[in-house]
Amino acid sequence: MTSNPDCLFCKITAGDIDADIIHQTDQVVGFRDLNPQAPTHVLIVPRRHIPTINDIAESDAAVIGQLFVAAKEIAAEEGLSEPGYRVIMNCNAGAGQTVFHVHLHLLGGRPFTWPPG
Ligand code: AMP
Ligand code: ZN
C-alpha cells in the first residue's frame, strides 16, 4: 500500500492536512510534532504508507535509511549535531505508537536520561 486515505500522516505528506513541514525529499517528509517533548521535536516519515516496523519489507530498506539521512540533516540545521539528539521509533501500542504510519522522532535541545520511560 503506498497511501492510506484514513491515515493522518498520509494526509500530511499529501498536503491535505496542514503541518509545519521543514524537510521534504521525493521519499521522506519532516514536520514539527504538534505536542513537542523537547525544544526540537520533528517527525520524519516515509511518503509510502508503512503502518509499523513489523510491516517493513526488504524493498523498503532504502526509504527507511532515508529517514536517518533526513534526521542527520535536520539535526545539523537545528544545531544539534554536536550537543547530540535522540531518534526514536515506537512499534505498536505497547511501546507508545499512536499513529500507525512509521515515523522517526528526532528530539533535541535538552538533556535526555537513559533508560527511557
Ligand atoms: P507515536 O506516539 O510514536 O505514534 O507518535 C505520534 C506523534 O504524532 C505524537 O508525538 C503526536 O504528538 C504527533 N502528532 C499527532 N498528530 C499530529 C499532527 N497533526 N501534526 C504533528 N504531529 C502530530
Ligand atoms: Zn500513512
Side-chain angles (χ1 to χ4, degrees):
M1 187 192 310
T2 56
S3 180
N4 178 336
D6 299 323
C7 170
L8 174 63
F9 289 172
C10 283
K11 290 177 186 167
I12 287 177
T13 58
D16 295 338
I17 288 183
D18 278 344
D20 186 1
I21 294 174
I22 60 165
H23 189 93
Q24 291 202 66
T25 72
D26 59 333
Q27 294 200 82
V28 306
V29 177
F31 53 91
R32 295 196 190 277
D33 197 291
L34 210 54
N35 183 23
Q37 301 302 312
T40 293
H41 188 172
V42 175
L43 302 177
I44 306 158
V45 309
R47 291 187 183 276
R48 163 184 293 273
H49 180 78
I50 304 169
T52 79
I53 295 175
N54 293 332
D55 303 298
I56 294 173
E58 189 69 34
S59 56
D60 296 320
V63 71
I64 296 300
Q66 288 299 318
L67 298 178
F68 286 88
V69 173
K72 174 199 75 172
E73 292 176 2
I74 295 166
E77 288 162 13
E78 299 276 316
L80 297 172
S81 306
E82 205 48 47
Y85 52 94
R86 183 168 285 178
V87 292
I88 297 171
M89 188 180 285
N90 298 319
C91 181
N92 271 343
Q97 186 175 6
T98 59
V99 179
F100 288 84
H101 177 133
V102 292
H103 46 280
L104 202 59
H105 294 260
L106 166 61
L107 297 136
R110 67 166 171 86
F112 295 95
T113 58
W114 193 263

